[in-house]
Amino acid sequence: MRLIVTALLFAVGLLFILLGLNFLVFPVNAGGGFGLNANGAQGLAVLRADFPAMFFVGGATMLWGAWKRNGELLLVPAAIFGLALLGRFVSLALDGTYPAFWLPMAVEATAAALALIGSKVLPHEVV
């Protein structure tokens, strides 16, 4: 079980880091895939700053927690993607649906659940 969870944490963490890199290098294309349009230099700066921050920190802590076998580190991506999922539920309630609205929700729910499972399966450091 631990090996499977660790492998999944590595795979998902790597996916999020690649998504962050895509926003950093190709913000217009990456933003378009998320329904976002850059509005000049300010919009490009937001796409290059905020999205890579979320994906890099979430993905890197998944990789680091899996590599170090440290369940505490996995609470960070659980919080990041859990809050993103909460925002999607709020938007769903206030704004309604759009085509394939469930796909990013499924990704965020899976990432948060995987991080929480990893946090329970992998040891926590006692200081």
Side-chain angles (χ1 to χ4, degrees):
M1 172 73 167
R2 246 206 266 196
L3 180 62
I4 292 170
V5 169
T6 302
L8 289 171
L9 285 165
F10 267 103
V12 174
L14 187 58
L15 170 72
F16 286 137
I17 287 176
L18 291 174
L19 279 170
L21 281 172
N22 196 31
F23 270 100
L24 193 62
V25 178
F26 305 110
V28 173
N29 293 338
F34 281 71
L36 302 168
N37 296 316
N39 186 10
Q42 182 180 9
L44 288 170
V46 168
L47 291 176
R48 281 195 172 113
D50 296 344
F51 286 89
M54 179 179 121
F55 287 126
F56 284 160
V57 172
T61 51
M62 283 182 139
L63 289 172
W64 191 15
W67 179 261
K68 291 291 189 177
R69 309 292 191 271
N70 186 339
E72 287 179 356
L73 291 170
L74 297 172
L75 295 174
V76 174
I80 289 171
F81 297 114
L83 285 171
L85 181 62
L86 175 64
R88 297 228 187 241
F89 275 117
V90 169
S91 186
L92 182 64
L94 297 177
D95 308 322
T97 64
Y98 56 91
F101 74 94
W102 57 269
L103 183 59
M105 293 178 82
V107 170
E108 289 156 354
T110 301
L114 179 62
L116 286 174
I117 291 167
S119 178
K120 293 294 182 194
V121 171
L122 298 176
H124 288 246
E125 288 193 20
V126 178
V127 180

